[in-house]
Amino acid sequence: MLSEVVTWPKPGLVDPVEHGAHPDMDVFTFIKSATSLRPYFYQAAIPSTIFSIWHNISGSALSSW
């Protein structure tokens, strides 16, 4: 997300030069928003990581059975 916000030009989106279709947001509020969401992205990744590990182990066990 942080790489995306500093890319320019892009139509209708927030970047370092303009706010596009978002008059209430600039590049600094975008960066603050993205960094505040970081812990929640990690939390959201935990269940899928556990499932992937379980799927890999159980898939091998079932295929050899």
Side-chain angles (χ1 to χ4, degrees), residues 56-65:
N56 290 338
I57 293 171
S58 65
S60 313
L62 288 174
S63 67
S64 65
W65 181 58

Side-chain angles (χ1 to χ4, degrees), residues 30-65:
F30 191 102
I31 291 170
K32 288 177 187 176
S33 173
T35 56
S36 71
L37 293 172
R38 183 176 296 178
Y40 302 105
F41 288 142
Y42 287 124
Q43 289 176 5
I46 291 172
S48 61
T49 304
I50 293 170
F51 174 78
S52 295
I53 293 169
W54 175 81
H55 180 64
N56 290 338
I57 293 171
S58 65
S60 313
L62 288 174
S63 67
S64 65
W65 181 58

